[in-house]
Amino acid sequence: MTGAEHTPAGASGAARRIELTTGLARVEERIARACAAADRAREDVTLVVVSKTYPAEDVRILADLGVRQFAENRDQEAAAKAAACADLPLTWHFVGQLQRNKVRSVLGYADYVHSVDRVRLVSALSAEAVRRGRAPLECLIQVALEKESGLGAARGGVAPDAVDELADALAEAPGLRVAGVMTVAPLEGAYAGSPGAAFERLGEISRGLRARIPAATMVSAGMSADLEEAILAGATHVRVGSAVLGVRPALG
Ligand SMILES: *Cc1c(COP(=O)(O)O)cnc(C)c1O
C-alpha cells in the first residue's frame, strides 16, 4: 500500500478522527466505570469494536488509536475490510449468522466466530480449519435465550438446553477450540427489556459449560446499549458498534 489512499482526505478525515477519538474515549470510560462498579479488573474485559457498515478508513483510525479487536457480521463486507487492513495487527471476530457456504471465506480472516449455533456448522468449520492448517479457530456458542420462552431466534442461536451437545461436537472437532458463549439480549420473551437478567442467565450457562470444558472462559455479551449490565454479569468481551462509530444509517 502507498499510504496515500488510506490517508483521510483533508478536513473531513480530521473531523472523523475527532469523532472516533471521542466515541472510543466515552466507551472506554463506560467500561472502566462498569468494571469498577462490578469490582472487576479493567483488563478482564476486552472491547471488540463492531465496524459493520463503516469503512476500512475508520478501522485504520481506530487501530491508530489502539483498538486491535474488530467484529463484523456479514462475510462479504468483512472479507473486503479485513483485506484492506491486512497490514495492521488486527484480530477479526465474526459475529453474524453464518451460512455453511461462507465458512471458507470467513476462516480466511476471522480468528473468532461468536455465532456457532448448530452442529451442522461444526463439520464445515472443522474441515476448513484443518484444510488451512491454521491455529485452532476460537468458537463461541451463540445462545438464544428467547428459545426458553418458546420463541424462535430471529438472530440465530441455540436454546440453552442444546449448549452441551454443541459444545461436545466442537470439542471433538479437529481445528476448533470451544472458547465460550455469546448472546444478544432478547427483544422478546421473558428477558425482553431486562438485559441484566439475560446476561446473568448467560453467566449461569457459561458456568455450566466451564464445568465440562474449563478452558471455555469467554463470555461475549453487551453492546452499545447494555455493556454495563453485561460487565456486571461477568462478560469478558463486549461488542460495541454505534457507541464508538456512530448510529448506523440502515439495518446492519
Ligand atoms: C451490530 C452488532 C453489535 C453492535 O451493536 P451496537 O448496538 O451498534 O453496539 C454487537 N453484536 C452483534 C452480533 C451485532 O450484530
Side-chain angles (χ1 to χ4, degrees):
M1 123 193 155
T2 62
E5 63 192 292
H6 293 300
T7 303
S12 70
R16 185 60 176 149
R17 191 181 172 91
I18 291 168
E19 283 173 2
L20 293 177
T21 303
T22 306
L24 182 62
R26 287 206 181 113
V27 168
E28 284 291 351
E29 169 78 22
R30 287 175 60 190
I31 294 172
R33 275 179 203 268
C35 285
D39 204 12
R40 299 182 63 193
R42 171 62 189 88
E43 58 267 29
D44 289 351
V45 178
T46 300
L47 168 63
V48 181
V49 171
V50 184
S51 48
K52 66 188 182 193
T53 78
Y54 287 99
E57 285 72 17
D58 284 352
V59 172
R60 283 191 174 272
I61 294 170
L62 288 166
D64 197 41
L65 296 171
V67 178
R68 292 291 175 268
Q69 311 287 324
F70 289 90
E72 289 281 336
N73 73 336
R74 293 202 176 110
D75 171 60
Q76 209 180 347
E77 179 184 352
K81 219 174 284 181
C85 298
D87 57 311
L88 300 173
L90 306 181
T91 298
W92 291 93
H93 300 247
F94 190 82
V95 300
Q97 282 184 269
L98 183 53
Q99 306 305 321
R100 285 199 301 168
N101 63 357
K102 302 288 188 191
V103 160
R104 179 163 282 206
S105 173
V106 167
L107 267 70
Y109 54 85
D111 289 324
Y112 293 83
V113 172
H114 292 229
S115 43
V116 179
D117 67 353
R118 54 202 189 279
V119 171
R120 272 166 59 83
L121 210 44
V122 173
S123 54
L125 289 167
S126 174
E128 180 61 14
V130 168
R131 192 188 71 80
R132 287 184 176 270
R134 46 165 289 158
L137 180 74
E138 304 283 348
C139 295
L140 287 83
I141 296 171
Q142 182 178 351
V143 182
L145 295 168
E146 49 271 62
K147 287 189 173 173
E148 280 187 335
S149 303
L151 298 167
R155 308 179 70 170
V158 289
D161 64 8
V163 168
D164 285 352
E165 182 194 7
L166 188 49
D168 290 345
L170 285 168
E172 287 165 11
L176 307 182
R177 210 179 77 79
V178 191
V181 290
M182 177 274 226
T183 205
V184 176
L187 298 173
E188 294 182 288
Y191 296 104
S194 307
F199 299 145
E200 291 291 344
R201 179 73 182 107
L202 185 71
E204 263 173 32
I205 293 164
S206 169
R207 285 189 287 281
L209 175 62
R210 278 178 285 148
R212 300 162 67 87
I213 304 175
T217 54
M218 278 179 70
V219 180
S220 168
M223 320 199 309
S224 292
D226 50 25
L227 68 88
E228 285 86 358
E229 288 89 341
I231 289 170
L232 194 59
T236 62
H237 291 69
V238 292
R239 311 177 308 270
V240 182
S242 51
V244 172
L245 288 137
V247 176
R248 292 176 294 275
L251 280 178

